[in-house]
mmCIF file of all heavy atoms in Angstrom:
data_model
loop_
_atom_site.group_PDB
_atom_site.id
_atom_site.type_symbol
_atom_site.label_atom_id
_atom_site.label_comp_id
_atom_site.label_asym_id
_atom_site.label_seq_id
_atom_site.Cartn_x
_atom_site.Cartn_y
_atom_site.Cartn_z
ATOM 1 N N SER X 999 -113.432 12.876 57.654
ATOM 2 C CA SER X 999 -113.286 11.433 57.491
ATOM 3 C C SER X 999 -112.267 10.895 58.493
ATOM 4 O O SER X 999 -111.569 11.666 59.150
ATOM 5 C CB SER X 999 -112.835 11.129 56.060
ATOM 6 O OG SER X 999 -113.863 11.450 55.144
ATOM 7 N N PRO X 1000 -112.142 9.572 58.587
ATOM 8 C CA PRO X 1000 -111.220 8.989 59.565
ATOM 9 C C PRO X 1000 -109.777 9.483 59.421
ATOM 10 O O PRO X 1000 -109.270 9.662 58.313
ATOM 11 C CB PRO X 1000 -111.302 7.487 59.268
ATOM 12 C CG PRO X 1000 -112.672 7.299 58.718
ATOM 13 C CD PRO X 1000 -112.922 8.537 57.894
ATOM 14 N N GLY X 1001 -109.147 9.723 60.577
ATOM 15 C CA GLY X 1001 -107.735 10.051 60.623
ATOM 16 C C GLY X 1001 -107.374 11.493 60.347
ATOM 17 O O GLY X 1001 -106.200 11.831 60.267
ATOM 18 N N VAL X 1002 -108.345 12.378 60.228
ATOM 19 C CA VAL X 1002 -108.057 13.790 59.962
ATOM 20 C C VAL X 1002 -107.534 14.442 61.237
ATOM 21 O O VAL X 1002 -108.046 14.206 62.331
ATOM 22 C CB VAL X 1002 -109.316 14.529 59.450
ATOM 23 C CG1 VAL X 1002 -109.104 16.030 59.402
ATOM 24 C CG2 VAL X 1002 -109.710 14.003 58.079
ATOM 25 N N VAL X 1003 -106.514 15.288 61.088
ATOM 26 C CA VAL X 1003 -105.947 16.026 62.212
ATOM 27 C C VAL X 1003 -106.190 17.515 61.971
ATOM 28 O O VAL X 1003 -105.861 18.036 60.902
ATOM 29 C CB VAL X 1003 -104.430 15.755 62.346
ATOM 30 C CG1 VAL X 1003 -103.819 16.639 63.429
ATOM 31 C CG2 VAL X 1003 -104.182 14.289 62.636
ATOM 32 N N VAL X 1004 -106.777 18.180 62.950
ATOM 33 C CA VAL X 1004 -106.965 19.628 62.931
ATOM 34 C C VAL X 1004 -106.188 20.182 64.118
ATOM 35 O O VAL X 1004 -106.588 20.002 65.266
ATOM 36 C CB VAL X 1004 -108.456 20.017 63.013
ATOM 37 C CG1 VAL X 1004 -108.625 21.531 63.018
ATOM 38 C CG2 VAL X 1004 -109.252 19.390 61.869
ATOM 39 N N GLU X 1005 -105.050 20.815 63.841
ATOM 40 C CA GLU X 1005 -104.175 21.296 64.905
ATOM 41 C C GLU X 1005 -104.743 22.555 65.573
ATOM 42 O O GLU X 1005 -105.703 23.153 65.102
ATOM 43 C CB GLU X 1005 -102.776 21.559 64.341
ATOM 44 C CG GLU X 1005 -102.082 20.293 63.878
ATOM 45 C CD GLU X 1005 -100.672 20.535 63.366
ATOM 46 O OE1 GLU X 1005 -100.198 21.701 63.350
ATOM 47 O OE2 GLU X 1005 -100.022 19.549 62.969
ATOM 48 N N SER X 1006 -104.090 22.979 66.649
ATOM 49 C CA SER X 1006 -104.561 24.121 67.422
ATOM 50 C C SER X 1006 -104.633 25.380 66.565
ATOM 51 O O SER X 1006 -103.808 25.593 65.682
ATOM 52 C CB SER X 1006 -103.658 24.357 68.638
ATOM 53 O OG SER X 1006 -102.376 24.730 68.208
ATOM 54 N N GLU X 1007 -105.635 26.174 66.833
ATOM 55 C CA GLU X 1007 -105.891 27.444 66.161
ATOM 56 C C GLU X 1007 -106.229 27.302 64.679
ATOM 57 O O GLU X 1007 -106.399 28.295 63.988
ATOM 58 C CB GLU X 1007 -104.734 28.423 66.370
ATOM 59 C CG GLU X 1007 -104.522 28.745 67.832
ATOM 60 C CD GLU X 1007 -103.360 29.695 68.059
ATOM 61 O OE1 GLU X 1007 -103.039 30.480 67.152
ATOM 62 O OE2 GLU X 1007 -102.780 29.642 69.157
ATOM 63 N N ALA X 1008 -106.330 26.078 64.179
ATOM 64 C CA ALA X 1008 -106.819 25.869 62.814
ATOM 65 C C ALA X 1008 -108.341 25.954 62.836
ATOM 66 O O ALA X 1008 -108.982 25.626 63.841
ATOM 67 C CB ALA X 1008 -106.372 24.514 62.288
ATOM 68 N N VAL X 1009 -108.922 26.414 61.717
ATOM 69 C CA VAL X 1009 -110.372 26.550 61.602
ATOM 70 C C VAL X 1009 -110.820 25.878 60.317
ATOM 71 O O VAL X 1009 -110.296 26.158 59.236
ATOM 72 C CB VAL X 1009 -110.787 28.041 61.593
ATOM 73 C CG1 VAL X 1009 -112.296 28.177 61.416
ATOM 74 C CG2 VAL X 1009 -110.332 28.735 62.875
ATOM 75 N N VAL X 1010 -111.810 24.992 60.425
ATOM 76 C CA VAL X 1010 -112.392 24.319 59.270
ATOM 77 C C VAL X 1010 -113.881 24.644 59.271
ATOM 78 O O VAL X 1010 -114.592 24.280 60.210
ATOM 79 C CB VAL X 1010 -112.166 22.790 59.347
ATOM 80 C CG1 VAL X 1010 -112.829 22.096 58.164
ATOM 81 C CG2 VAL X 1010 -110.683 22.472 59.408
ATOM 82 N N ARG X 1011 -114.347 25.348 58.234
ATOM 83 C CA ARG X 1011 -115.762 25.744 58.139
ATOM 84 C C ARG X 1011 -116.338 25.317 56.797
ATOM 85 O O ARG X 1011 -115.690 25.478 55.764
ATOM 86 C CB ARG X 1011 -115.903 27.264 58.244
ATOM 87 C CG ARG X 1011 -115.731 27.794 59.625
ATOM 88 C CD ARG X 1011 -116.235 29.241 59.750
ATOM 89 N NE ARG X 1011 -116.062 29.679 61.109
ATOM 90 C CZ ARG X 1011 -115.034 30.409 61.544
ATOM 91 N NH1 ARG X 1011 -114.099 30.799 60.714
ATOM 92 N NH2 ARG X 1011 -114.948 30.738 62.812
ATOM 93 N N ARG X 1012 -117.570 24.802 56.841
ATOM 94 C CA ARG X 1012 -118.314 24.446 55.616
ATOM 95 C C ARG X 1012 -117.451 23.636 54.650
ATOM 96 O O ARG X 1012 -117.403 23.912 53.457
ATOM 97 C CB ARG X 1012 -118.839 25.707 54.927
ATOM 98 C CG ARG X 1012 -119.874 26.463 55.761
ATOM 99 C CD ARG X 1012 -120.348 27.733 55.094
ATOM 100 N NE ARG X 1012 -119.316 28.742 55.025
ATOM 101 C CZ ARG X 1012 -119.022 29.598 55.996
ATOM 102 N NH1 ARG X 1012 -119.689 29.559 57.129
ATOM 103 N NH2 ARG X 1012 -118.070 30.495 55.856
ATOM 104 N N SER X 1013 -116.748 22.628 55.171
ATOM 105 C CA SER X 1013 -115.793 21.880 54.358
ATOM 106 C C SER X 1013 -115.951 20.381 54.563
ATOM 107 O O SER X 1013 -116.541 19.918 55.541
ATOM 108 C CB SER X 1013 -114.364 22.301 54.709
ATOM 109 O OG SER X 1013 -114.156 23.663 54.399
ATOM 110 N N ILE X 1014 -115.392 19.623 53.612
ATOM 111 C CA ILE X 1014 -115.311 18.168 53.698
ATOM 112 C C ILE X 1014 -113.837 17.812 53.600
ATOM 113 O O ILE X 1014 -113.164 18.211 52.647
ATOM 114 C CB ILE X 1014 -116.101 17.500 52.562
ATOM 115 C CG1 ILE X 1014 -117.575 17.894 52.625
ATOM 116 C CG2 ILE X 1014 -115.929 15.978 52.614
ATOM 117 C CD1 ILE X 1014 -118.375 17.487 51.408
ATOM 118 N N VAL X 1015 -113.331 17.090 54.602
ATOM 119 C CA VAL X 1015 -111.921 16.720 54.628
ATOM 120 C C VAL X 1015 -111.850 15.193 54.678
ATOM 121 O O VAL X 1015 -112.350 14.572 55.607
ATOM 122 C CB VAL X 1015 -111.190 17.347 55.835
ATOM 123 C CG1 VAL X 1015 -109.703 17.011 55.787
ATOM 124 C CG2 VAL X 1015 -111.393 18.863 55.866
ATOM 125 N N MET X 1016 -111.210 14.614 53.662
ATOM 126 C CA MET X 1016 -111.154 13.160 53.538
ATOM 127 C C MET X 1016 -110.003 12.570 54.345
ATOM 128 O O MET X 1016 -109.159 13.281 54.888
ATOM 129 C CB MET X 1016 -111.037 12.775 52.063
ATOM 130 C CG MET X 1016 -112.209 13.299 51.204
ATOM 131 S SD MET X 1016 -113.829 12.798 51.790
ATOM 132 C CE MET X 1016 -113.796 11.100 51.295
ATOM 133 N N HIS X 1017 -109.949 11.239 54.354
ATOM 134 C CA HIS X 1017 -109.055 10.413 55.182
ATOM 135 C C HIS X 1017 -107.625 10.926 55.287
ATOM 136 O O HIS X 1017 -106.997 11.266 54.293
ATOM 137 C CB HIS X 1017 -108.987 8.995 54.608
ATOM 138 C CG HIS X 1017 -110.286 8.276 54.596
ATOM 139 N ND1 HIS X 1017 -111.344 8.655 53.808
ATOM 140 C CD2 HIS X 1017 -110.697 7.194 55.285
ATOM 141 C CE1 HIS X 1017 -112.362 7.834 54.002
ATOM 142 N NE2 HIS X 1017 -112.002 6.941 54.891
ATOM 143 N N ASP X 1018 -107.136 10.910 56.521
ATOM 144 C CA ASP X 1018 -105.718 11.105 56.838
ATOM 145 C C ASP X 1018 -105.126 12.406 56.313
ATOM 146 O O ASP X 1018 -103.932 12.467 56.012
ATOM 147 C CB ASP X 1018 -104.902 9.906 56.340
ATOM 148 C CG ASP X 1018 -105.382 8.609 56.971
ATOM 149 O OD1 ASP X 1018 -105.576 8.579 58.203
ATOM 150 O OD2 ASP X 1018 -105.586 7.625 56.229
ATOM 151 N N SER X 1019 -105.936 13.434 56.230
ATOM 152 C CA SER X 1019 -105.413 14.759 55.872
ATOM 153 C C SER X 1019 -105.069 15.515 57.146
ATOM 154 O O SER X 1019 -105.615 15.238 58.218
ATOM 155 C CB SER X 1019 -106.434 15.538 55.047
ATOM 156 O OG SER X 1019 -106.561 14.952 53.768
ATOM 157 N N ARG X 1020 -104.148 16.473 57.024
ATOM 158 C CA ARG X 1020 -103.683 17.243 58.182
ATOM 159 C C ARG X 1020 -103.861 18.725 57.912
ATOM 160 O O ARG X 1020 -103.379 19.241 56.902
ATOM 161 C CB ARG X 1020 -102.219 16.941 58.463
ATOM 162 C CG ARG X 1020 -101.624 17.782 59.591
ATOM 163 C CD ARG X 1020 -100.201 17.379 59.925
ATOM 164 N NE ARG X 1020 -100.153 16.072 60.562
ATOM 165 C CZ ARG X 1020 -100.296 15.869 61.879
ATOM 166 N NH1 ARG X 1020 -100.475 16.885 62.687
ATOM 167 N NH2 ARG X 1020 -100.240 14.660 62.375
ATOM 168 N N ILE X 1021 -104.554 19.401 58.831
ATOM 169 C CA ILE X 1021 -104.725 20.850 58.794
ATOM 170 C C ILE X 1021 -103.830 21.392 59.907
ATOM 171 O O ILE X 1021 -104.132 21.233 61.089
ATOM 172 C CB ILE X 1021 -106.198 21.266 59.039
ATOM 173 C CG1 ILE X 1021 -107.181 20.392 58.258
ATOM 174 C CG2 ILE X 1021 -106.372 22.743 58.766
ATOM 175 C CD1 ILE X 1021 -106.992 20.337 56.778
ATOM 176 N N GLU X 1022 -102.732 22.024 59.518
ATOM 177 C CA GLU X 1022 -101.752 22.448 60.514
ATOM 178 C C GLU X 1022 -102.191 23.706 61.267
ATOM 179 O O GLU X 1022 -103.128 24.399 60.850
ATOM 180 C CB GLU X 1022 -100.387 22.639 59.849
ATOM 181 C CG GLU X 1022 -99.823 21.318 59.339
ATOM 182 C CD GLU X 1022 -98.444 21.435 58.737
ATOM 183 O OE1 GLU X 1022 -97.927 22.565 58.563
ATOM 184 O OE2 GLU X 1022 -97.855 20.378 58.436
ATOM 185 N N ALA X 1023 -101.509 23.994 62.340
ATOM 186 C CA ALA X 1023 -101.865 25.075 63.261
ATOM 187 C C ALA X 1023 -102.079 26.402 62.547
ATOM 188 O O ALA X 1023 -101.270 26.810 61.713
ATOM 189 C CB ALA X 1023 -100.785 25.234 64.320
ATOM 190 N N GLY X 1024 -103.190 27.051 62.872
ATOM 191 C CA GLY X 1024 -103.470 28.385 62.358
ATOM 192 C C GLY X 1024 -104.022 28.431 60.946
ATOM 193 O O GLY X 1024 -104.355 29.501 60.451
ATOM 194 N N ALA X 1025 -104.130 27.283 60.255
ATOM 195 C CA ALA X 1025 -104.694 27.274 58.901
ATOM 196 C C ALA X 1025 -106.202 27.509 58.971
ATOM 197 O O ALA X 1025 -106.855 27.152 59.958
ATOM 198 C CB ALA X 1025 -104.394 25.953 58.206
ATOM 199 N N HIS X 1026 -106.765 28.121 57.912
ATOM 200 C CA HIS X 1026 -108.207 28.374 57.831
ATOM 201 C C HIS X 1026 -108.740 27.832 56.518
ATOM 202 O O HIS X 1026 -108.248 28.211 55.451
ATOM 203 C CB HIS X 1026 -108.495 29.875 57.913
ATOM 204 C CG HIS X 1026 -108.351 30.445 59.276
ATOM 205 N ND1 HIS X 1026 -109.402 30.930 60.002
ATOM 206 C CD2 HIS X 1026 -107.264 30.571 60.073
ATOM 207 C CE1 HIS X 1026 -108.971 31.348 61.179
ATOM 208 N NE2 HIS X 1026 -107.672 31.140 61.242
ATOM 209 N N LEU X 1027 -109.756 26.965 56.595
ATOM 210 C CA LEU X 1027 -110.423 26.426 55.415
ATOM 211 C C LEU X 1027 -111.867 26.880 55.449
ATOM 212 O O LEU X 1027 -112.538 26.751 56.483
ATOM 213 C CB LEU X 1027 -110.396 24.898 55.422
ATOM 214 C CG LEU X 1027 -109.137 24.197 54.959
ATOM 215 C CD1 LEU X 1027 -107.985 24.478 55.895
ATOM 216 C CD2 LEU X 1027 -109.375 22.704 54.842
ATOM 217 N N ASP X 1028 -112.364 27.388 54.335
ATOM 218 C CA ASP X 1028 -113.758 27.807 54.240
ATOM 219 C C ASP X 1028 -114.305 27.369 52.888
ATOM 220 O O ASP X 1028 -113.853 27.834 51.848
ATOM 221 C CB ASP X 1028 -113.872 29.326 54.400
ATOM 222 C CG ASP X 1028 -115.313 29.782 54.569
ATOM 223 O OD1 ASP X 1028 -116.244 28.984 54.304
ATOM 224 O OD2 ASP X 1028 -115.522 30.938 54.956
ATOM 225 N N THR X 1029 -115.248 26.443 52.919
ATOM 226 C CA THR X 1029 -115.896 25.918 51.724
ATOM 227 C C THR X 1029 -114.865 25.234 50.825
ATOM 228 O O THR X 1029 -114.628 25.619 49.679
ATOM 229 C CB THR X 1029 -116.661 27.020 50.963
ATOM 230 O OG1 THR X 1029 -117.336 27.870 51.899
ATOM 231 C CG2 THR X 1029 -117.700 26.410 50.032
ATOM 232 N N VAL X 1030 -114.222 24.203 51.374
ATOM 233 C CA VAL X 1030 -113.162 23.462 50.692
ATOM 234 C C VAL X 1030 -113.485 21.971 50.760
ATOM 235 O O VAL X 1030 -113.976 21.483 51.772
ATOM 236 C CB VAL X 1030 -111.793 23.723 51.363
ATOM 237 C CG1 VAL X 1030 -110.679 22.975 50.653
ATOM 238 C CG2 VAL X 1030 -111.486 25.216 51.399
ATOM 239 N N ILE X 1031 -113.192 21.263 49.677
ATOM 240 C CA ILE X 1031 -113.236 19.804 49.675
ATOM 241 C C ILE X 1031 -111.793 19.330 49.544
ATOM 242 O O ILE X 1031 -111.116 19.652 48.568
ATOM 243 C CB ILE X 1031 -114.106 19.247 48.534
ATOM 244 C CG1 ILE X 1031 -115.548 19.744 48.690
ATOM 245 C CG2 ILE X 1031 -114.051 17.713 48.529
ATOM 246 C CD1 ILE X 1031 -116.471 19.360 47.555
ATOM 247 N N VAL X 1032 -111.330 18.595 50.556
ATOM 248 C CA VAL X 1032 -109.949 18.136 50.631
ATOM 249 C C VAL X 1032 -109.943 16.620 50.469
ATOM 250 O O VAL X 1032 -110.547 15.911 51.268
ATOM 251 C CB VAL X 1032 -109.323 18.524 51.994
ATOM 252 C CG1 VAL X 1032 -107.893 18.025 52.091
ATOM 253 C CG2 VAL X 1032 -109.399 20.023 52.216
ATOM 254 N N ASP X 1033 -109.262 16.121 49.438
ATOM 255 C CA ASP X 1033 -109.193 14.680 49.220
ATOM 256 C C ASP X 1033 -108.219 14.040 50.213
ATOM 257 O O ASP X 1033 -107.586 14.727 51.010
ATOM 258 C CB ASP X 1033 -108.790 14.388 47.767
ATOM 259 C CG ASP X 1033 -109.237 13.008 47.287
ATOM 260 O OD1 ASP X 1033 -109.644 12.170 48.119
ATOM 261 O OD2 ASP X 1033 -109.170 12.764 46.068
ATOM 262 N N LYS X 1034 -108.057 12.730 50.122
ATOM 263 C CA LYS X 1034 -107.232 11.942 51.051
ATOM 264 C C LYS X 1034 -105.778 12.387 51.077
ATOM 265 O O LYS X 1034 -105.207 12.750 50.055
ATOM 266 C CB LYS X 1034 -107.220 10.485 50.628
ATOM 267 C CG LYS X 1034 -108.516 9.767 50.685
ATOM 268 C CD LYS X 1034 -108.287 8.351 50.194
ATOM 269 C CE LYS X 1034 -109.559 7.550 50.223
ATOM 270 N NZ LYS X 1034 -109.310 6.169 49.784
ATOM 271 N N GLY X 1035 -105.185 12.292 52.257
ATOM 272 C CA GLY X 1035 -103.748 12.423 52.404
ATOM 273 C C GLY X 1035 -103.163 13.786 52.078
ATOM 274 O O GLY X 1035 -102.003 13.890 51.716
ATOM 275 N N CYS X 1036 -103.936 14.842 52.223
ATOM 276 C CA CYS X 1036 -103.449 16.196 51.943
ATOM 277 C C CYS X 1036 -102.862 16.822 53.210
ATOM 278 O O CYS X 1036 -103.232 16.462 54.321
ATOM 279 C CB CYS X 1036 -104.575 17.083 51.427
ATOM 280 S SG CYS X 1036 -105.183 16.600 49.809
ATOM 281 N N THR X 1037 -101.969 17.774 53.005
ATOM 282 C CA THR X 1037 -101.425 18.556 54.105
ATOM 283 C C THR X 1037 -101.613 20.026 53.789
ATOM 284 O O THR X 1037 -101.207 20.487 52.722
ATOM 285 C CB THR X 1037 -99.922 18.269 54.308
ATOM 286 O OG1 THR X 1037 -99.753 16.874 54.552
ATOM 287 C CG2 THR X 1037 -99.372 19.063 55.481
ATOM 288 N N ILE X 1038 -102.240 20.750 54.711
ATOM 289 C CA ILE X 1038 -102.420 22.196 54.573
ATOM 290 C C ILE X 1038 -101.519 22.829 55.621
ATOM 291 O O ILE X 1038 -101.688 22.623 56.827
ATOM 292 C CB ILE X 1038 -103.891 22.616 54.787
ATOM 293 C CG1 ILE X 1038 -104.799 22.157 53.649
ATOM 294 C CG2 ILE X 1038 -103.991 24.128 54.837
ATOM 295 C CD1 ILE X 1038 -105.043 20.776 53.447
ATOM 296 N N GLY X 1039 -100.527 23.594 55.163
ATOM 297 C CA GLY X 1039 -99.504 24.154 56.041
ATOM 298 C C GLY X 1039 -100.019 25.201 57.008
ATOM 299 O O GLY X 1039 -101.105 25.771 56.850
ATOM 300 N N ARG X 1040 -99.197 25.486 58.000
ATOM 301 C CA ARG X 1040 -99.517 26.454 59.039
ATOM 302 C C ARG X 1040 -99.881 27.810 58.441
ATOM 303 O O ARG X 1040 -99.279 28.244 57.484
ATOM 304 C CB ARG X 1040 -98.308 26.637 59.954
ATOM 305 C CG ARG X 1040 -97.938 25.385 60.731
ATOM 306 C CD ARG X 1040 -96.536 25.456 61.307
ATOM 307 N NE ARG X 1040 -96.379 26.038 62.611
ATOM 308 C CZ ARG X 1040 -96.950 25.615 63.726
ATOM 309 N NH1 ARG X 1040 -97.795 24.636 63.698
ATOM 310 N NH2 ARG X 1040 -96.696 26.177 64.868
ATOM 311 N N GLN X 1041 -100.866 28.448 59.047
ATOM 312 C CA GLN X 1041 -101.280 29.818 58.717
ATOM 313 C C GLN X 1041 -101.751 29.986 57.267
ATOM 314 O O GLN X 1041 -101.791 31.095 56.755
ATOM 315 C CB GLN X 1041 -100.139 30.809 59.006
ATOM 316 C CG GLN X 1041 -99.629 30.790 60.430
ATOM 317 C CD GLN X 1041 -100.715 31.142 61.444
ATOM 318 O OE1 GLN X 1041 -101.558 31.996 61.206
ATOM 319 N NE2 GLN X 1041 -100.706 30.462 62.571
ATOM 320 N N THR X 1042 -102.112 28.894 56.608
ATOM 321 C CA THR X 1042 -102.603 28.967 55.228
ATOM 322 C C THR X 1042 -104.082 29.316 55.220
ATOM 323 O O THR X 1042 -104.837 28.871 56.079
ATOM 324 C CB THR X 1042 -102.333 27.623 54.511
ATOM 325 O OG1 THR X 1042 -100.940 27.526 54.272
ATOM 326 C CG2 THR X 1042 -103.077 27.514 53.203
ATOM 327 N N MET X 1043 -104.502 30.103 54.231
ATOM 328 C CA MET X 1043 -105.917 30.447 54.028
ATOM 329 C C MET X 1043 -106.375 29.754 52.744
ATOM 330 O O MET X 1043 -105.822 30.015 51.677
ATOM 331 C CB MET X 1043 -106.095 31.953 53.884
ATOM 332 C CG MET X 1043 -105.610 32.757 55.078
ATOM 333 S SD MET X 1043 -106.641 32.557 56.520
ATOM 334 C CE MET X 1043 -108.091 33.432 56.018
ATOM 335 N N LEU X 1044 -107.387 28.894 52.863
ATOM 336 C CA LEU X 1044 -107.907 28.157 51.712
ATOM 337 C C LEU X 1044 -109.385 28.450 51.547
ATOM 338 O O LEU X 1044 -110.170 28.205 52.457
ATOM 339 C CB LEU X 1044 -107.775 26.655 51.955
ATOM 340 C CG LEU X 1044 -106.566 25.925 51.444
ATOM 341 C CD1 LEU X 1044 -106.672 24.457 51.785
ATOM 342 C CD2 LEU X 1044 -106.386 26.117 49.980
ATOM 343 N N GLY X 1045 -109.770 28.973 50.377
ATOM 344 C CA GLY X 1045 -111.174 29.285 50.136
ATOM 345 C C GLY X 1045 -111.631 30.448 50.999
ATOM 346 O O GLY X 1045 -110.917 30.922 51.875
ATOM 347 N N GLY X 1046 -112.824 30.930 50.722
ATOM 348 C CA GLY X 1046 -113.389 31.992 51.544
ATOM 349 C C GLY X 1046 -112.723 33.342 51.397
ATOM 350 O O GLY X 1046 -113.067 34.280 52.105
ATOM 351 N N ILE X 1047 -111.740 33.470 50.509
ATOM 352 C CA ILE X 1047 -111.089 34.761 50.272
ATOM 353 C C ILE X 1047 -111.074 35.029 48.776
ATOM 354 O O ILE X 1047 -111.158 34.113 47.973
ATOM 355 C CB ILE X 1047 -109.640 34.802 50.833
ATOM 356 C CG1 ILE X 1047 -108.785 33.698 50.218
ATOM 357 C CG2 ILE X 1047 -109.640 34.725 52.342
ATOM 358 C CD1 ILE X 1047 -107.314 33.774 50.581
ATOM 359 N N GLY X 1048 -110.965 36.274 48.405
ATOM 360 C CA GLY X 1048 -110.911 36.629 46.988
ATOM 361 C C GLY X 1048 -112.288 36.778 46.377
ATOM 362 O O GLY X 1048 -113.313 36.737 47.048
ATOM 363 N N SER X 1049 -112.302 36.921 45.062
ATOM 364 C CA SER X 1049 -113.554 37.160 44.333
ATOM 365 C C SER X 1049 -114.315 35.857 44.125
ATOM 366 O O SER X 1049 -113.826 34.775 44.427
ATOM 367 C CB SER X 1049 -113.231 37.789 42.974
ATOM 368 O OG SER X 1049 -112.622 36.823 42.141
#
Side-chain angles (χ1 to χ4, degrees):
S999 293
V1002 170
V1003 174
V1004 179
E1005 294 182 0
S1006 65
E1007 299 179 27
V1009 178
V1010 178
R1011 285 195 179 98
R1012 295 178 292 275
S1013 297
I1014 300 170
V1015 183
M1016 301 304 286
H1017 298 67
D1018 301 313
S1019 290
R1020 176 175 290 274
I1021 316 303
E1022 294 183 353
H1026 285 247
L1027 279 65
D1028 191 346
T1029 319
V1030 181
I1031 299 175
V1032 179
D1033 204 347
K1034 295 179 180 182
C1036 293
T1037 302
I1038 290 67
R1040 295 163 89 59
Q1041 303 300 322
T1042 288
M1043 301 290 289
L1044 266 181
I1047 58 173
S1049 71

